[in-house]
Amino acid sequence: MTAPATAPDPGAAEPSPAGALSQLIQEALDKGDSYQRLADRAARSDSDETVSKPYLQRIVKNPPANPPTAGQLVAIAYALGKPDQRVIEAAARQWLRYEATELSGYDEEVRIIVGHLAGKSKADLMRWRYMIEAEERAQREAES
């Protein structure tokens, strides 16, 4: 199970030319892939949508104002040989400047607390940490 731990930057609206998804595609090209091979692989994905060679080029060189659709992201993930979630997060970083952090194995309460603390200053985080550790010590002492 995953949960966002930070909120998107409210002033972020434009994609970055060197965005995270653009970089993932560029890395594949740097390793010897081509736009056409990526587009061909995307067409073989389980997604109902696909992406063309020109669209992939545009994402890298001059990203569109709007991100790819969910189906296109699945096709791109397949073409890149990357997990869907990694490509979706890269698109979120590029178009929304949104960072997600996984919190596997924790219940909803813990994820809410972590999300709440995400924007706090270093001093506030240390204060919260000391309070939590003090509570844990008190509980251990009470059980002894």
Side-chain angles (χ1 to χ4, degrees):
M1 185 176 271
T2 62
T6 59
D9 178 10
E14 297 180 47
S16 165
L21 182 57
S22 299
Q23 290 173 356
L24 282 179
I25 296 169
Q26 186 61 55
E27 287 170 11
L29 298 171
D30 292 345
K31 291 178 182 174
D33 240 325
S34 69
Y35 288 114
Q36 188 60 57
R37 283 195 297 268
L38 291 173
D40 291 345
R41 279 200 303 271
R44 294 192 303 267
S45 75
D46 290 338
S47 174
D48 293 336
E49 298 181 58
T50 189
V51 291
S52 65
K53 173 185 170 182
Y55 186 73
L56 291 168
Q57 289 172 319
R58 189 168 165 219
I59 290 174
V60 173
K61 301 208 181 286
N62 186 21
N66 295 315
T69 65
Q72 288 173 317
L73 291 171
V74 169
I76 291 169
Y78 185 83
L80 295 173
K82 305 277 185 203
D84 293 354
Q85 191 61 34
R86 182 165 180 207
V87 172
I88 291 166
E89 288 173 2
R93 278 194 309 276
Q94 182 162 340
W95 275 270
L96 303 174
R97 291 191 174 88
Y98 182 82
E99 292 290 332
T101 303
E102 290 191 25
L103 295 173
S104 300
Y106 295 101
D107 66 12
E108 184 67 18
E109 292 302 316
V110 171
R111 289 192 299 273
I112 289 169
I113 292 166
V114 171
H116 176 74
L117 294 176
K120 300 286 185 191
S121 69
K122 186 87 165 163
D124 284 341
L125 291 175
M126 290 304 293
R127 187 170 43 91
W128 279 95
R129 179 178 176 174
Y130 292 147
M131 288 190 298
I132 292 167
E133 290 172 348
E135 191 278 332
E136 288 175 340
R137 276 192 305 278
Q139 190 174 20
R140 279 194 305 270
E141 290 172 6
E143 293 173 353
S144 307

